[in-house]
Structures are given as structure tokens and as C-alpha cells.
Amino acid sequence: MRSNLKKMMDYCTFCPKMCRFSCPTAEATQVETFTPWGKMEIGRWLVDKTLPLSQDLAAALYQCTNCLHCQRYCEHDNDVPSALAEVRRIAVENYAAPPAVYEVESRFAQANNPYGRDLYAETRKHWPESVPQSGGQVLFFPSCHTLRHFPERLGTYFEIFRKLDIHGVQLSEPDLQCCGAPLDALGFAGEFQEVAEVQYHALGGFQWVVTDGPECGHILKKRYPELSLPLGKQALHLMEFLAPYFLNSNYRSRGKAKARIAYHDPPYLSRYLGLSELPRRLLGELTGFAPLELSWSGEDTLSAGTEGAYAWIFPEAAEKIARRTVEEVESRGIGKLLTADALEEAMFKSLKPSFEVQDFFEFLNEQLLSE
């Protein structure tokens, strides 16, 4: 890892910032230090101990949403988020990370999730009726962001299961209400390892573990196996789980409906999990028309400023990043923006746009007709 880390940092350091335009934090802040070049240069200094670790230098390491957009334009395929994660770990262990980073850790310690509260307290009011809490082969593992911002959505998911005649999906309250993604993103390697081990033993007994969270999907499918916790083959994002039923089953839908609807690709779905064509195919299957494409879409999608716990550390910059997408949608007169990420949805809605922001699965449920 050390040699690969050094190689990536060297490549970035001696590059003429060819990917600068693709970095959401550099564009939002207009600070050259926060370009991939600047962040990796600082990382190299700290790894090589050319400069002593300080809070100012460490703060630059967190000016990254982990959206992986820069990799799309890198001749060497550098994975900047992975490289920065290693240096963030050093910053965290030496108490040099931004104060907001430790606030997230503290909230996680309080309630086993980044919000510091019992997320199921509100969700229980919206618990779907007649849903098994044991005995199922499929466990639905909701994102903590869904539980916090849209607890009623559990009912939507299980309504889709009912309409598509999907059985055997279990919903239960886990001891840990988060997969650990924020801890992983912010550099808390030890704490993330502990969460991953607990979750692996809780989830490993199911044939399938289905989640609606893009970052959760990445964590369960890819990060846990990297920690020798082989959950990957059992983990599915909700979109993957539903696809065979939508594409190969008989069901009734509202039929063709042409409208000015666009879809925003969450970076963790499109770039980390490779799910960019599937949502368009599902929307086309149900409505007869593909969604309108934004200027940056698919694997080239823009960050919403919410990935990698960034919005908790730099909320004002995160809003600027999200506003870029909002402004395009408004300028084009698009009436509805769909997204399959609860935290993205909450961010877009907080900016009070002139158009409707709707969850991808809520829209699918509206198009499906009950038998």
C-alpha cells in the first residue's frame, strides 16, 4: 500500500492539474490548494514528513467529497479518495483533523450512527405492516440517511415489493444503525473496522442483503471484503435487487408518460457501483421515455456535496456544490429531478428549488399500479 500510495501522490504532484475542472471542491471554493493536485501534494508532504502535521494542512485533506470524478480524467487512473483516506487516518490519530470530524465520531459513539440519535424512534411510526422481522432470506438494510430524513420511505419500498409480488424480505432493527461509511470516509480506521465486524456477523447469515444507500452499497460490497469480511457477493443495491422483477415480470403500470423529468446520478451509484444505465432502463421501461440528461450525467455526474461526509465538515461549500446542479435544472425548465440517494435529495430540497425533487423509488412506486 505504501508504494502504491507514494506512486499516486507522485503522479498527482507532478501533473499540470489536468483534472482540476472535475473537482467539485476546487470549483466551489476556487482555492488551488483544494484541487486534487494540491491535496495530494499536501498528503505527500505529510507522508514523507517533509512538513509537520498541522490542523491547517490536515483540513485540506478533507476538502474532497470522495466523488471520484477526478479519476475519470486521470491518465494514470489515480484513486485520490483512497490516497487521502490513508493520510486522513494519520490526521485523526494525531488529533489534527477539523473539529467537525470528531463531532461526527462523537455522535456515532452515542447512538451507533452519525446522527447521534435513535433513528428507528421516528421510523417505528412508519413501520410497514405485516413485514417479517425474522425468518426471511433477504434482509433490507436501510441507509441511516433514509431513516433520518425520510423514515416514511420504508413503507414505499415494501409497497413496491408487494406490487411486484416479492416475498421473503425481512426488516429488523439492527444494533448498529449505520454501515460505518462516515467513519471510513473521515479516517477512523479502527472504529470502522469494529463496525464492519459487528455488521458482518449480523448480516452474513442472509442470502441477500439489500440496501437503498449508494455509499452503503459500496461499503457492503467492496469495503467489507477488503477487511477480510466477505459480504460482497450477498450485498445488492435496491436498484439491482428490483431490476429483474421490473424487466422480467408481469405488472401493470400507468403506461407512457412524457414529462420534463431528469435523473441525477449519485456518484457512488454511477462510478463506484457502475449503476448508470440501469436507472435509465427502468425509467424507460415504466414511462416509455428515457429521462432528460443533465450536462454532467452517468459516470460523468457531478457531486451533490453530500458524499463522504463532506457536508458535515464543510456545509457552506457543500451547498455551493449542490447548487450547481440545481441551477442547471432550473435554467432548463425541468419540472422534476429524480435521485436515488436520500442525502442528495435532502440537500437539493434544502435549497428550495423551483422544481420538484423526488426519490427515484417513490417515482417508480407511483408508476406501478396495484393488482
Side-chain angles (χ1 to χ4, degrees), residues 5 11-12 26 36 61 66 73 77 97 121 128 179 187 233 247 261 263 286 314 320 334 365 369:
L5 175 67
Y11 280 153
C12 278
L61 305 174
N66 289 4
Y73 298 94
D77 202 36
C179 65
K233 293 182 180 179
L247 300 176
I261 298 173
Y263 171 72
L286 277 172
F314 303 106
K320 286 184 179 180
I334 295 172
N365 188 45
L369 298 175

Side-chain angles (χ1 to χ4, degrees), residues 212-345:
D212 64 328
E215 288 191 53
C216 296
H218 167 67
I219 291 292
L220 299 178
K221 290 166 74 77
K222 299 185 179 181
R223 289 291 289 125
Y224 281 13
E226 289 173 1
L227 300 177
S228 299
L229 302 170
L231 188 66
K233 293 182 180 179
Q234 299 160 255
L236 291 173
H237 185 267
L238 180 58
M239 200 176 289
E240 296 174 291
F241 178 70
L242 292 177
Y245 297 94
F246 273 111
L247 300 176
N248 303 307
S249 300
N250 292 321
Y251 56 84
R252 294 194 305 133
S253 71
R254 296 186 182 278
K256 293 187 176 182
K258 187 174 183 180
R260 294 189 62 76
I261 298 173
Y263 171 72
H264 181 267
D265 294 88
Y268 270 85
L269 270 188
S270 63
R271 284 195 281 272
Y272 282 85
L273 297 179
L275 298 177
S276 57
E277 292 302 320
L278 183 56
R280 289 160 174 79
R281 188 178 177 190
L282 294 179
L283 290 172
E285 186 78 14
L286 277 172
T287 67
F289 295 92
L292 297 173
E293 294 292 347
L294 300 178
S295 299
W296 301 82
S297 61
E299 293 184 5
D300 215 17
T301 187
L302 291 177
S303 165
T306 55
E307 307 84 18
Y310 182 81
W312 283 318
I313 314 304
F314 303 106
E316 292 183 4
E319 286 192 5
K320 286 184 179 180
I321 293 170
R323 197 172 293 281
R324 186 175 174 186
T325 295
V326 167
E327 288 175 352
E328 179 188 349
V329 176
E330 289 181 328
S331 70
R332 292 174 56 185
I334 295 172
K336 180 180 290 189
L337 180 68
L338 302 177
T339 178
D341 185 309
L343 202 51
E344 275 194 8
E345 180 186 354

Side-chain angles (χ1 to χ4, degrees), residues 56 64-65 75 96 108 156 163 169 219 227 236 276 366:
D56 286 342
C64 174
T65 67
E75 291 292 327
F108 209 106
T156 299
K163 290 178 178 178
V169 182
I219 291 292
L227 300 177
L236 291 173
S276 57
E366 288 178 357

Side-chain angles (χ1 to χ4, degrees), residues 16-269:
K17 298 185 244 184
M18 298 295 287
C19 68
R20 187 209 185 285
F21 71 94
S22 69
C23 178
T25 60
E27 289 292 293
T29 63
Q30 292 297 300
V31 176
E32 289 302 300
T33 304
F34 301 154
T35 62
W37 165 83
K39 289 174 285 203
M40 292 288 267
E41 173 78 347
I42 290 173
R44 190 170 72 105
W45 289 341
L46 297 178
V47 168
D48 291 342
K49 299 183 179 179
T50 303
L51 288 178
L53 180 64
S54 69
Q55 197 168 76
D56 286 342
L57 289 177
L61 305 174
Y62 288 89
Q63 282 287 353
C64 174
T65 67
N66 289 4
C67 74
L68 214 61
H69 199 198
C70 58
Q71 190 180 47
R72 290 271 299 165
Y73 298 94
C74 179
E75 291 292 327
H76 304 288
D77 202 36
N78 268 4
D79 183 349
V80 171
S82 292
L84 293 180
E86 186 65 17
V87 196
R88 287 179 180 183
R89 180 186 61 77
I90 296 172
V92 160
E93 291 176 352
N94 288 276
Y95 301 98
V101 170
Y102 298 103
E103 291 173 9
V104 175
E105 179 198 28
S106 177
R107 293 198 298 270
F108 209 106
Q110 291 171 19
N112 292 323
N113 69 69
Y115 292 99
R117 57 197 286 182
D118 179 6
L119 297 177
Y120 275 86
E122 180 65 23
T123 306
R124 292 185 195 103
K125 302 175 187 177
H126 307 280
W127 199 272
E129 296 181 3
S130 304
V131 174
Q133 295 189 45
S134 62
Q137 293 183 320
V138 180
L139 176 69
F140 185 73
F141 185 84
S143 159
C144 63
H145 307 311
T146 299
L147 296 176
R148 170 64 182 86
H149 295 286
F150 308 103
E152 71 284 356
R153 190 149 298 152
L154 290 184
T156 299
Y157 297 148
F158 278 83
E159 189 171 347
I160 293 175
F161 297 158
R162 179 182 62 78
K163 290 178 178 178
L164 293 176
D165 201 26
I166 300 174
H167 303 284
V169 182
Q170 175 182 324
L171 179 65
S172 60
E173 295 185 34
D175 293 331
L176 304 183
Q177 299 176 358
C178 178
C179 65
L183 297 176
D184 186 42
L186 296 176
F188 294 100
E191 290 92 332
F192 174 62
Q193 175 81 41
E194 292 176 5
V195 169
E197 289 176 356
V198 172
Q199 293 290 31
Y200 172 71
H201 291 295
L203 305 176
F206 292 90
Q207 182 177 356
W208 302 107
V209 178
V210 178
T211 182
D212 64 328
E215 288 191 53
C216 296
H218 167 67
I219 291 292
L220 299 178
K221 290 166 74 77
K222 299 185 179 181
R223 289 291 289 125
Y224 281 13
E226 289 173 1
L227 300 177
S228 299
L229 302 170
L231 188 66
K233 293 182 180 179
Q234 299 160 255
L236 291 173
H237 185 267
L238 180 58
M239 200 176 289
E240 296 174 291
F241 178 70
L242 292 177
Y245 297 94
F246 273 111
L247 300 176
N248 303 307
S249 300
N250 292 321
Y251 56 84
R252 294 194 305 133
S253 71
R254 296 186 182 278
K256 293 187 176 182
K258 187 174 183 180
R260 294 189 62 76
I261 298 173
Y263 171 72
H264 181 267
D265 294 88
Y268 270 85
L269 270 188

